[in-house]
Amino acid sequence: MKITSHADKIRRLLQLRDRLDPLQDFELWYWTVLTAGTNIWNASLHATGFTNEDRVFSTIPGVHVVPQSDGSFRRELRGPGDVSHVGWPVVPGDMPESIQRLETALHALEAYRDPCLRADRIPTQAIVDDCNHSLLQALAVYEALVH
């Protein structure tokens, strides 16, 4: 996906997040934050040249859906493009310090996924605050790299 497409998704996701109550609507609120984080990750990797911003769509690592001139789509094996989650798939190369900071922030954000969405941990204001802090760190790296 193009950086501009990621930027548009980030903007729309953050607008949606702001309309949700982070505790009452935690699951939806959290998914908007996670999805924004994934788009931040992809746009930042594209901006630093670690992945391509081709107009293709990842399905599983290495497999991409590619638009054809007749409007159809075809699956192709390609190198790294958009990733589904930070660390999946692993993007090869020596990451600059800014990308390492971004990765750390996104891992901290993703740490709440399983306990809060797939287990029985009740979201608290402290969890919301941690998620917001991680998102702000990720956005700071993204803004410095992309804008």
Side-chain angles (χ1 to χ4, degrees):
M1 229 166 62
K2 298 286 188 187
I3 291 173
T4 55
S5 296
H6 287 297
D8 183 54
K9 283 187 181 215
I10 294 163
R11 179 188 55 74
R12 289 183 293 124
L13 286 161
L14 295 180
Q15 287 174 345
L16 174 60
R17 177 197 69 146
D18 290 344
R19 294 190 341 237
L20 299 169
D21 181 287
L23 290 173
Q24 286 186 328
D25 306 317
F26 183 80
E27 187 171 358
L28 289 173
W29 179 89
Y30 184 73
W31 280 116
T32 63
V33 173
L34 275 183
T35 305
T38 299
N39 280 275
I40 289 168
W41 179 242
N42 280 307
S44 299
L45 290 174
H46 298 336
T48 54
F50 281 95
T51 57
N52 293 324
E53 65 168 322
D54 294 340
R55 191 176 170 266
V56 300
F57 309 94
S58 298
T59 55
I60 58 174
V63 179
H64 302 269
V65 176
V66 181
Q68 303 299 298
S69 59
D70 65 0
S72 66
F73 293 87
R74 173 170 75 100
R75 286 194 170 96
E76 288 183 12
L77 295 176
R78 291 182 167 219
D82 285 347
V83 297
S84 298
H85 291 280
V86 61
W88 191 78
V90 173
V91 177
D94 292 325
M95 299 291 175
E97 188 268 335
S98 59
I99 294 292
Q100 291 175 31
R101 279 195 334 264
L102 175 56
E103 184 176 36
T104 298
L106 293 174
H107 278 303
L109 180 62
E110 288 201 10
Y112 291 106
R113 182 182 58 226
D114 290 340
C116 292
L117 301 184
R118 297 182 175 135
D120 58 0
R121 188 164 181 191
I122 304 298
T124 63
Q125 188 60 51
I127 290 172
V128 169
D129 293 344
D130 283 349
C131 291
N132 278 325
H133 178 73
S134 295
L135 179 63
L136 289 175
Q137 289 177 319
L139 283 167
V141 172
Y142 162 77
E143 290 291 333
L145 291 173
V146 175
H147 296 290

